[in-house]
Structures are given as structure tokens and as C-alpha cells.
Amino acid sequence: MTTADDFVIQFIQDKGLVSAAEVAEVRSSLGEIPEGQNADTLAIAKLVETGKVTWMAITQALGKEFDMEVVDVSQVTPSEDILKLISREHAERATILPLQMDGVELLVAIADPLDTETLDSLSRVLKLPINPKLATPEDLKLAINRCYGGGALNVSYEEVFGKETDEDGVSVDLPQTGEVKEDDAPIIRYVNSLIVDAIRRKASDIHLEPLEKRFRIRFRIDGVLQEMKGPPKRLQPSVISRLKLMAEVSLAEKRIPQDGRIQARTGGRDIDLRVSVLPTVYGESIVMRILDKEGLKLGLPELGFFADDQAKFQSLITGADGVFLVTGPTGSGKSTTLYSALNYINKPDRKIITVEDPVEYQMAGINQVQVKRDVGMTFAAALRAMLRQAPNIVMIGEIRDLETAEIAINAALTGHMVFSTLHTNDSVSAVTRLVDIGVKPFLVSAALRGALAQRLVRRVCQNCAQPYKPTVKELYSIGMTEKDLAGATPMKGAGCPKCNERGYKGRRGVFELFVITEEIQELIYSGATLVTLRRKAREAGMRTMREDGQRKVASGMTTIEEVMGATVADDAI
């Protein structure tokens, strides 16, 4: 906000976003106003800082008042040609960011809807009509830094990570790790802004990769790696050292892999980053996996279930006993599905204990145990101890060996509901996998209640989705015909600022839910082959992941390309 801050502070009072008493309280706390600064500007900043109002609430109210669209600039990356239209200095001074050309108009994001002087002068200089959109000042500053490059060093530690609060709600500054020298400050600010940029873009991983002549930075967004503008190669040692310091791993050790953790708070959300350091030819490569606890709050429909599969899934996870397995390769969303299931059944009358390696998300009301092999706390040892705690529900991070599998099976047979994961390609293979590691078929038959195989596909961006008619060849490639689309409307994203012009935003699961019926129990008991079990499951109504993907293409949730890339043809199983 700029010279219009006197209007804004009165406006947010009139709209009921803050009270006159809150404004008066903030004004009185400002003390003497430094020369050259505006009291209203400082008052608005203080109102936001103390949590009495948010920039987004202010911006949305202004957008409604002036009939202007509010855009999320954290997801926007304008082209180089568009950025050249406005210099970095001008963008920072006016808090304005060019977005894209829309026909003959230039779309720009601004923070101040009353700053018509800037828009008029820009239109005259460029000889283009300007179509302004609104964005929050904090988002715009970060986006300008990110898009123009280099300026990320101007972002403060508090802007990136905010402040912790203790149980009484008192603000507590996040501590800086290690001794900070004045020369280190730009690197600290760069690293912090890199992390917050990844979080704002909803990235799942940050990859920092030393190459021969450059230092490459990539974010994994919706399962796809996207290259970002990286720092100069000469800053590589400083950036890596800063991250190792934050992750509390040895700075002196550069010969062996190391693992650490960074805890942060941004936008009122707790974020954990699991850090992996790996020595390579041109320096240490760092991958940070972003563990956002907000993902745990997904309801079952948000995972991607249709109503019929969701009803079966709910029936299985709310059972009194038995084993339920989620299968799939690394990165297929198994943990998110299991945590969402635990969140769904987490009630005050149930005791839930998990044993994990590592504990990725901390959940309220659930007892979570961390595996520590160096002191003998293995999955099996933790499970034995857990069962003496009289839990109703047990979750095991992964069944990896016979000892763990046998304890899990025995727990299920003695009245516990057991959840776990397995690395198999499809759901029915969970049966043969358990038998292969040594579990007797009659135990599998008695304990297993069901298995869910899943993969992740990108979801069509809901902002720019458009009806799309696949060709006969495309339909054939996925095993569909035009009759299968009768009454359906497949969709494709055209590309927009919200999805960074990619046509996709977010991911959903495609599932194969294998329910153990009495007939299938008998087949498992008698040692039936995988082919026989799969045929019987199909006869009982099980849909394969490819078939589930076909339904999601028809519903407009995803595209043929995504399903083709994530699943295999049914005759190949």
C-alpha cells in the first residue's frame, strides 16, 4: 500500500475487518513516527503483524469494492519478454508485476487499486492498454524478487518463516541456527526465500544440484520437476553450508551422505523439511522434502475417491480388526492416504499408535513412535511394545520383513485393526508379497481385510479447464471408445497464471481397491496363484487403476496423458 493508506485504514474499519478500538490501540503503540514514514502505513503493517487482520482479507475487500480480480502471484512465472516491459526498479518502487499479454492488453498485478497514476504512466510509456489485477503486497514483493531474480536476498527471515507462538499465544522468534556474520546475511535471506517460494508454489521437494558450470535449483510441483532460476556457481558452497547448518548436520563432513531436518513456520502453518545431503562429483547435492501438515487434513473425497470406492474404503478402515494395506511405489501418495484414513477414524474413544521411520507428520491425539535401529528400536521391537499398550488401531510405516509381518498379522488376529504399506505394483500382489516373505497363506487368509493400490495423476486446473474431445486414437490408447464418453465431458487445462500455464494444478489418486471376500479367503488359504486371485477379484467388482483412471478422464478430473503415464494396461498385469 502507498499514499492511499489513509483511505485503506478507514476502509477496513468501515468494512468491519478491524474495530476503531484496535486501530487506536495500534496507533498508540507506534510511539514517535520516524521522519519520512507514514503513520497509516505503519499502523496497517502493525495490524497485520499482530494478527488483527490479514493482507489477503484487506486485498479481497478492496477487490470487491473496486470490482477487481484478486490473483495468486505466487503461482505465476511471467516470460522474459513480459518482464522486460517493466524494469525491476520500477516494479519494486511501484509494487507492480507484469503477468502476461491478453490480446492487446497487458495484465499486471498491483497492490494499490488507487494508484492510477502509475497505471496511466505505464500505459503511456508502453503504448498499451493496462488491465490491472490485485494481489497482496507481501505476495507481490516475493513474486517480484523471484521473477526478476537475485532480489530474493532482500527477503527477511521473519517474512519467510514468521514467528512461533507458544501455548499461551505469545510470539517467540524462531532462533537463527549458528553464529551469523554480517557477510552471511544475504545467503541466509536467499536460502529462506528459496524455501518459502517452494512452499508457496506447493512444491513437494527442493533439489539443489551442483553441476560442472552451474548450480541448478529445481522444485518438484505436482510430481514434475521444474527448473528455477538458480544462484551463481560461486555461491554454491555458501548456500550448501547454510542449509547443512539449518539441518544440523556436520559442515566438516563432505565424504558420506547425511540426513537432517529443518522445522519452519510460514503463513500460520507448521512445515517440516526432511534434508538429504549426498556427495557428488561437483559438490554436495541437497534434496529437501517438504512435509506440510495441512495435507493431513484432506478429506477422503479430496484424495480422489469416487463415492462408491469411498464407501468401500470407509467400510474397510472402520472395521474392528484385520490388516489393511496400501501399496504402490515411492511417491505414490501412500502415506497421505494412510494419514487421511487415521484422521478420519481418530476419535476420543479409540487409542491409535503408529510406528514410523521417520515420523513424517505429528498428529494430535495419536501416539507416534520413531524407529531407532541403532538402539534396537526396530519395527518389530516397537510393535511388540505397542501391543502391550492396548491400542485399538495400529499403523506400521512399512512391512519390510517376516518378523514385522508376523507380529502385524498376529495383532490383527487378536482384535486390533492394523494399517501398513507394501511396495507392490498392484493391490492383489499384496497377498503374494506377504506369502513370499514367509507368512503362511492361512494366516494371510484369516487376517487380511483388503488392499489399496494407488498412483498419483495431475488434476486439470479448475480455473482454465475447457471441454475437450479426445480423438479415436487417444481413446484407443487408454482402452476406451466414444461410447464410454456418452454423457461425459472430458476436460483439458488451457493454461493460466494460477497453474503457471501448465493446465494442471494439484494431484489426485487413481485407485485399485481389493476387498477380501469369503471366496477370495478360500483361494488364499489354498495357495491360489496371483492370476486366479486377480480374476476372482475382478468378478467380485474390483476396478483396476487403469479403469479408475478412465472414469476420471470421463469426469474431467484428469487427462488421458496423465492416466497413460501412471498406469499400465489391464492385459499387461
Side-chain angles (χ1 to χ4, degrees), residues 476-512:
Y476 177 77
S477 68
I478 199 177
M480 299 176 73
T481 66
E482 290 183 338
K483 288 183 180 179
D484 296 325
L485 295 180
T489 309
M491 306 291 280
K492 252 192 178 178
C496 67
K498 284 194 174 182
C499 62
N500 205 18
E501 305 300 331
R502 293 182 179 273
Y504 298 98
K505 187 172 175 62
R507 289 190 290 176
R508 292 291 184 269
V510 289
F511 304 104
E512 178 180 280

Side-chain angles (χ1 to χ4, degrees), residues 133-377:
K133 310 290 183 183
L134 274 185
T136 68
E138 55 178 4
D139 283 354
L140 263 176
K141 287 173 186 174
L142 285 168
I144 290 167
N145 284 326
R146 170 175 53 80
C147 295
Y148 283 95
L153 303 182
N154 296 321
V155 183
S156 71
Y157 189 86
E158 289 74 22
E159 274 185 288
V160 177
F161 290 100
K163 293 185 177 183
E164 289 279 10
T165 57
D166 63 17
E167 290 180 358
D168 297 320
V170 180
S171 291
V172 182
D173 287 332
L174 254 169
Q176 292 277 15
T177 307
E179 184 180 347
V180 179
K181 302 175 184 176
E182 187 175 348
D183 291 345
D184 296 333
I187 296 299
I188 292 170
R189 290 194 290 269
Y190 172 75
V191 168
N192 292 343
S193 68
L194 178 71
I195 293 171
V196 82
D197 188 26
I199 292 169
R200 286 174 180 273
R201 288 170 175 258
K202 302 188 186 304
S204 60
D205 305 278
I206 306 171
H207 294 250
L208 298 94
E209 302 163 317
L211 304 179
E212 183 178 6
K213 295 182 180 178
R214 64 191 182 103
F215 187 31
R216 182 165 69 178
I217 308 291
R218 294 193 289 177
F219 294 166
R220 189 181 297 278
I221 302 173
D222 293 338
V224 178
L225 281 171
Q226 299 179 21
E227 189 160 344
M228 302 292 125
K229 191 165 186 175
K233 178 74 172 175
R234 60 184 171 80
L235 293 182
Q236 176 183 311
S238 300
V239 172
I240 289 174
S241 294
R242 175 59 191 164
L243 284 167
K244 289 176 71 175
L245 195 65
M246 293 172 71
E248 298 183 359
V249 300
S250 172
L251 292 177
E253 184 57 74
K254 301 181 188 296
R255 301 164 299 168
I256 60 174
Q258 298 184 80
D259 294 310
R261 197 164 202 156
I262 298 171
Q263 291 185 313
R265 185 174 176 82
T266 178
R269 292 151 53 203
D270 291 317
I271 305 290
D272 282 352
L273 295 101
R274 206 164 74 201
V275 182
S276 170
V277 184
L278 179 70
T280 69
V281 174
Y282 299 112
E284 291 173 290
S285 171
I286 292 183
V287 175
M288 294 183 283
R289 185 177 182 193
I290 299 170
L291 305 173
D292 184 358
K293 295 176 185 177
E294 291 296 313
L296 300 183
K297 296 179 181 177
L298 287 177
L300 299 183
E302 282 74 34
L303 294 175
F305 283 111
F306 282 125
D308 51 354
D309 281 341
Q310 184 179 326
K312 292 178 186 177
F313 182 72
Q314 287 173 341
S315 175
L316 286 169
I317 65 176
T318 53
D321 56 33
V323 175
F324 181 79
L325 299 171
V326 181
T327 76
T330 301
S332 60
K334 299 188 298 297
S335 294
T336 299
T337 297
L338 272 185
Y339 278 119
S340 296
L342 290 180
N343 196 46
Y344 177 78
I345 60 178
N346 185 12
K347 302 289 189 295
D349 61 343
R350 293 173 181 169
K351 184 177 179 71
I352 302 175
I353 306 181
T354 74
V355 53
E356 305 168 64
D357 183 23
V359 175
E360 294 186 352
Y361 304 100
Q362 294 173 3
M363 298 183 68
I366 292 178
N367 302 277
Q368 294 173 272
V369 178
Q370 170 72 56
V371 167
K372 294 180 181 176
R373 291 184 177 82
D374 54 341
V375 295
M377 178 67 93

